[in-house]
Amino acid sequence: MAQTSFTLHAQDGQARTGVISTPRGEIRTPAFMPVGTAATVKGMMPESVRETGADILLGNTYHLMLRPGAERIDRLGGLHKFMNWERPILTDSGGFQVMSLSDLRKLTEEGVTFKSHIDGSKHHLTPERSMEIQKLLGSDIVMAFDECPALPADRKRIADSMRLSMRWAQRSRDSFGDRPGHMLFGIMQGGLEQDLREESATALIDIGFDGYAVGGLAVGEGQEAMFGCLDYAPGFLPEDKPRYLMGVGKPDDIVGAVKRGIDMMDCVLPSRSGRTGQAWTRRGQINIKNARHAEDPRPLDENCTCPACRNYSRAYLHHVFKSNEMIAGMLLTWHNLHYFQQIMQEMRDAIAAGTFDAWEAEFHAQRAQGDIEPL
Amino acid sequence: MAQTSFTLHAQDGQARTGVISTPRGEIRTPAFMPVGTAATVKGMMPESVRETGADILLGNTYHLMLRPGAERIDRLGGLHKFMNWERPILTDSGGFQVMSLSDLRKLTEEGVTFKSHIDGSKHHLTPERSMEIQKLLGSDIVMAFDECPALPADRKRIADSMRLSMRWAQRSRDSFGDRPGHMLFGIMQGGLEQDLREESATALIDIGFDGYAVGGLAVGEGQEAMFGCLDYAPGFLPEDKPRYLMGVGKPDDIVGAVKRGIDMMDCVLPSRSGRTGQAWTRRGQINIKNARHAEDPRPLDENCTCPACRNYSRAYLHHVFKSNEMIAGMLLTWHNLHYFQQIMQEMRDAIAAGTFDAWEAEFHAQRAQGDIEPL
């Protein structure tokens, strides 16, 4: 049966580039994973997501277990077939969304009971059930079930939560079993406490996973604190396994994370921003709803090769946004996903060439210029 | 300078097939024109609209004059460039939408004054201004400015309105002038009164147009009354010019109109239905929101080659509709436009082969079967 592997091709400082191989295809790292929460990357056809350069999508266990249901997706042939994406899919464990989205949570050693934010129905999620759901979905990269406190939180809360997550990590590992062709990732917790991060990493390594996530960041602590943690946390993890920073982020967050040794990331930002009229370019962020774009014949970014920039003016994008037309979110999402994937490709190339520092300096210099002047 | 032409290739009964040639491309007739109201066919990329087989789009003068404005579109290079559709565009005159959408209309011999439904701003539209706007947009097929009463209306109202429209048709013709490569169509009115239809047609032919629309139908009179009018109205028009039935319709309306000698149609139905979860197939209409589709692995139509039917189950379409995902409207709109264009292609082929009656019988037989049985 086909196996999985992670091969590092080059390292430049702490930044690494390589390939995760799975039976469903290769994932070039550092990798950015667009989020397909409810079995769709909002506003995009999956063929278009692939065109932007994505090797892998993220699916949300919490959303899919509630609607349409994991057993139903299994009966329909699995998530890949269901959503017409035959390449790798990583699914989260559901833990984070239960805590952030659902009502009336009750947390015990066993797991968490909660009410659906969709219809109020009652559900139970444990490490064992999370593994089962992710198997039913057919996920290629399965995440251990964890619990994560919002920051700031006191040290005791963070330590207790981390140790619970480590016990759940062991139960996840036991429940996952041996599934050739599929990977199970553990999730490091510990907030911004270096010793707790190390304790968590040690516990996970003792259990043994195919990859390791840095969890519990991008939850309100700010970029400086996040980078502070990333200055040491990846170093606690095995060099020969992928390191995944969950829920990150803005372009400069991504670049800073890669610089610090992160191999994978995911975020709703490019698609969510696209639907609200925010475009990300080399020169920073653009609010296309701003009246200054109303008669501007120039593209969002004249150097960008995405369909939104090749074929449409800012004036058009402004018009369709003001008119609440679907194509507005479709085009800006496409642009944003394209831009995020372009950053990843450029970083992979720079790391391979040993020029990451120069690339990073140019990245920041272009952003410092700000958007082009109005005509 | 490039000219336009209409060439009839075959006739079968009253049904005709041919080609309208314009500098921006050929329009195979009978033609169905998707509606791109606000410079976008809602939920579709223009490349995808083309993939469904559309040769020409319709743009709405009323909407575009209000937002983003005809002068602005002109400064940005015209509607084709603005919306990334380089093939032919037909624009309506704005008259119908002023009557159906705007507030506080005041109708005089000169034209109509109205308030925008978007921001309440005051606007004036006359035959001369309508011609100017359609020229600014860069429309390939320009419609004469007309007025149209909702049916039922009394004979005097219909006659007065038709005669006003005929005076406006003359002013439209005078104002349009000589624009090689662009066509001006007159619009026949007269409601369901045969003698008024004939009087209107005679007046238009005296003025002389590049094509003729049958206006004032599909405004509430029902299919039987519409077909009753189409049994004679096209016969009042020149055989060697395209005949355009405005705002039609459902698949069986379209087939019945082609049977009666209509060459062109437009309707928002495929895109509007798509956004509300209605799919049109050979076997009739499907409401994808219905719970019976929730676990159905079959496509909408196993014989359909559109992306929605090739790549997705009814269960997926049901799920994304229930989840309010954009891809739901995107996929169903694509399917519907594909199906409408497929009907047109099949009718063109059948007319050319002299087998239109047999094709029509099969069309109705398939619809009579109804949708496939639930699993």
Side-chain angles (χ1 to χ4, degrees):
Chain A
M1 206 165 175
Q3 300 292 322
T4 61
S5 66
F6 177 51
T7 308
L8 276 175
H9 292 152
Q11 182 155 348
D12 184 0
Q14 294 303 310
R16 303 134 49 102
T17 183
V19 170
I20 301 169
S21 292
T22 82
R24 287 190 176 271
E26 296 195 333
I27 304 154
R28 298 163 291 176
T29 65
F32 179 80
M33 301 185 282
V35 178
T37 297
T40 167
V41 177
K42 293 181 195 300
M44 296 285 288
M45 300 280 277
E47 297 87 345
S48 309
V49 177
R50 175 59 184 162
E51 271 187 57
T52 66
D55 291 334
I56 177 171
L57 296 187
L58 181 141
N60 286 121
T61 285
Y62 170 81
H63 290 84
L64 294 170
M65 71 180 279
L66 297 181
R67 188 170 58 190
E71 277 74 9
R72 173 169 289 167
I73 289 179
D74 177 48
R75 286 190 295 270
L76 289 162
L79 183 57
H80 297 81
K81 182 179 176 187
F82 186 60
M83 70 183 291
N84 188 31
W85 175 267
E86 293 296 347
R87 291 181 174 272
I89 293 175
L90 179 148
T91 45
D92 62 14
S93 70
F96 182 79
Q97 259 93 18
V98 166
M99 295 304 164
S100 57
L101 292 179
S102 73
D103 297 324
L104 285 175
R105 299 175 294 275
K106 190 184 167 198
L107 181 70
T108 67
E109 181 68 29
E110 171 67 12
V112 58
T113 304
F114 62 94
K115 280 196 172 178
S116 160
H117 73 290
I118 298 170
D119 61 6
S121 57
K122 200 172 169 182
H123 298 267
H124 193 52
L125 205 47
T126 62
E128 292 75 19
R129 177 62 180 153
S130 177
M131 294 306 102
E132 183 180 26
I133 290 172
Q134 293 181 76
K135 185 175 181 179
L136 288 164
L137 297 175
S139 174
D140 304 283
I141 302 182
V142 170
M143 299 305 296
F145 189 65
D146 68 337
E147 200 262 330
C148 161
L151 296 183
D154 65 39
R155 183 178 159 86
K156 178 168 187 325
R157 166 87 179 90
I158 291 169
D160 289 348
S161 167
M162 179 272 284
R163 287 168 193 142
L164 175 64
S165 286
M166 295 308 101
R167 294 190 295 276
W168 286 1
Q170 181 68 60
R171 285 167 56 192
S172 296
R173 174 81 268 178
D174 294 344
S175 175
F176 180 83
D178 184 32
R179 297 181 57 210
H182 301 263
M183 303 171 90
L184 178 64
F185 280 25
I187 305 176
M188 178 208 282
Q189 292 290 351
L192 303 175
E193 312 284 328
Q194 185 165 353
D195 60 327
L196 297 180
R197 286 280 171 188
E198 186 166 16
E199 177 186 333
S200 178
T202 302
L204 293 174
I205 293 165
D206 279 351
I207 299 168
F209 289 94
D210 304 306
Y212 296 86
V214 181
L217 293 180
V219 290
E221 74 282 7
Q223 188 188 71
E224 193 180 350
M226 181 174 80
F227 283 175
C229 181
L230 292 178
D231 282 337
Y232 58 77
F236 296 145
L237 297 172
E239 293 223 339
D240 63 347
K241 300 290 182 190
R243 301 165 182 164
Y244 163 30
L245 178 60
M246 305 176 79
V248 170
K250 293 181 186 172
D252 55 334
D253 295 331
I254 290 173
V255 172
V258 168
K259 181 181 185 173
R260 290 166 175 83
I262 294 297
D263 304 306
M264 305 166 70
M265 278 155 287
D266 76 280
C267 194
V268 297
L269 188 70
S271 43
R272 181 170 294 168
S273 292
R275 295 196 308 285
T276 56
Q278 304 298 315
W280 296 88
T281 76
R282 306 190 160 275
R283 300 181 60 163
Q285 209 174 344
I286 296 171
N287 178 357
I288 199 64
K289 292 173 289 190
N290 190 302
R292 79 183 183 90
H293 305 297
E295 202 159 315
D296 196 327
R298 297 171 297 183
L300 288 171
D301 179 351
E302 62 183 8
N303 291 326
C304 179
T305 59
C306 85
C309 291
R310 277 203 321 269
N311 301 325
Y312 300 94
S313 61
R314 292 178 178 218
Y316 181 79
L317 297 171
H318 175 84
H319 163 67
V320 286
F321 253 100
K322 298 294 278 189
S323 304
N324 296 314
E325 291 288 349
M326 289 171 70
I327 200 171
M330 293 161 63
L331 286 172
L332 251 67
T333 299
W334 196 324
H335 167 81
N336 286 339
L337 287 173
H338 179 99
Y339 174 60
F340 275 56
Q341 294 296 346
Q342 187 182 339
I343 295 176
M344 305 314 293
Q345 182 60 54
E346 290 182 7
M347 286 195 292
R348 291 192 293 264
D349 292 344
I351 296 165
T355 57
F356 184 82
D357 286 350
W359 181 89
E360 189 197 12
E362 176 64 17
F363 169 81
H364 289 299
Q366 288 189 36
R367 288 168 59 85
Q369 290 176 34
D371 189 28
I372 55 175
E373 292 297 311
L375 285 176
Chain B
M1 208 165 176
Q3 300 292 322
T4 62
S5 67
F6 177 51
T7 308
L8 276 175
H9 292 153
Q11 183 155 348
D12 185 0
Q14 294 304 310
R16 304 134 47 105
T17 183
V19 169
I20 302 169
S21 292
T22 81
R24 287 191 175 272
E26 295 195 333
I27 304 153
R28 296 162 292 176
T29 67
F32 179 78
M33 302 184 283
V35 178
T37 298
T40 168
V41 177
K42 292 181 197 300
M44 295 285 286
M45 299 281 276
E47 297 86 346
S48 309
V49 177
R50 175 59 184 161
E51 271 187 57
T52 67
D55 291 335
I56 177 171
L57 296 187
L58 180 140
N60 285 122
T61 285
Y62 170 82
H63 291 84
L64 295 170
M65 71 179 281
L66 297 181
R67 186 169 62 189
E71 277 73 11
R72 173 169 288 168
I73 289 179
D74 178 48
R75 287 190 295 269
L76 289 162
L79 182 57
H80 297 80
K81 181 178 177 189
F82 186 60
M83 70 182 292
N84 188 31
W85 175 267
E86 293 296 346
R87 291 182 175 272
I89 293 175
L90 179 148
T91 45
D92 62 14
S93 71
F96 182 79
Q97 260 93 15
V98 165
M99 294 305 165
S100 57
L101 291 180
S102 72
D103 298 324
L104 287 176
R105 299 175 295 276
K106 191 183 166 199
L107 181 69
T108 67
E109 181 69 27
E110 171 66 11
V112 59
T113 304
F114 62 95
K115 279 196 172 178
S116 161
H117 74 290
I118 299 170
D119 61 7
S121 57
K122 200 170 167 184
H123 297 267
H124 193 52
L125 205 47
T126 62
E128 292 76 19
R129 177 61 181 154
S130 177
M131 294 305 103
E132 184 180 24
I133 290 171
Q134 293 182 76
K135 185 176 181 179
L136 288 165
L137 296 175
S139 173
D140 303 284
I141 303 183
V142 170
M143 299 304 296
F145 189 65
D146 68 336
E147 200 263 330
C148 160
L151 297 182
D154 65 37
R155 183 177 160 87
K156 180 171 186 320
R157 166 84 178 90
I158 291 169
D160 289 348
S161 167
M162 179 272 284
R163 286 166 194 144
L164 175 64
S165 287
M166 295 307 102
R167 295 190 295 276
W168 285 0
Q170 180 68 59
R171 284 168 56 193
S172 296
R173 176 80 267 178
D174 294 343
S175 174
F176 180 83
D178 184 32
R179 297 181 56 209
H182 301 264
M183 303 172 91
L184 178 64
F185 279 25
I187 304 175
M188 177 209 281
Q189 293 291 351
L192 302 175
E193 312 283 328
Q194 185 165 352
D195 60 327
L196 296 181
R197 286 279 171 187
E198 185 165 18
E199 178 187 331
S200 178
T202 302
L204 293 174
I205 293 166
D206 280 351
I207 299 169
F209 289 93
D210 304 307
Y212 295 86
V214 181
L217 293 180
V219 290
E221 75 281 7
Q223 188 187 71
E224 193 180 351
M226 181 175 79
F227 283 174
C229 181
L230 291 178
D231 282 338
Y232 57 77
F236 296 146
L237 297 172
E239 294 221 339
D240 62 347
K241 302 289 183 191
R243 301 164 182 163
Y244 164 30
L245 179 60
M246 305 176 79
V248 170
K250 294 182 186 171
D252 55 333
D253 295 331
I254 290 174
V255 171
V258 167
K259 181 182 186 172
R260 290 166 174 83
I262 294 297
D263 304 306
M264 306 166 69
M265 277 155 288
D266 76 281
C267 194
V268 297
L269 188 69
S271 43
R272 181 171 293 166
S273 293
R275 295 196 308 285
T276 57
Q278 305 297 316
W280 296 88
T281 77
R282 304 187 162 279
R283 299 180 62 162
Q285 209 174 344
I286 296 170
N287 178 358
I288 200 64
K289 292 172 290 190
N290 192 301
R292 79 183 183 89
H293 305 297
E295 203 158 316
D296 196 327
R298 297 170 298 183
L300 288 171
D301 179 352
E302 61 183 10
N303 291 325
C304 178
T305 59
C306 86
C309 291
R310 277 202 321 268
N311 301 325
Y312 300 94
S313 61
R314 292 178 179 218
Y316 182 78
L317 297 172
H318 175 83
H319 163 68
V320 286
F321 253 101
K322 299 293 278 187
S323 304
N324 295 314
E325 291 288 348
M326 288 171 72
I327 200 169
M330 292 161 63
L331 287 172
L332 251 67
T333 299
W334 195 325
H335 168 82
N336 285 339
L337 287 173
H338 179 98
Y339 173 61
F340 275 56
Q341 294 296 346
Q342 188 182 337
I343 296 176
M344 305 314 293
Q345 183 61 53
E346 290 182 7
M347 287 196 290
R348 290 191 295 264
D349 292 344
I351 296 165
T355 58
F356 185 83
D357 286 350
W359 181 89
E360 189 198 12
E362 176 64 17
F363 169 81
H364 289 298
Q366 288 191 36
R367 288 167 59 83
Q369 290 176 35
D371 188 28
I372 54 174
E373 291 297 310
L375 285 177

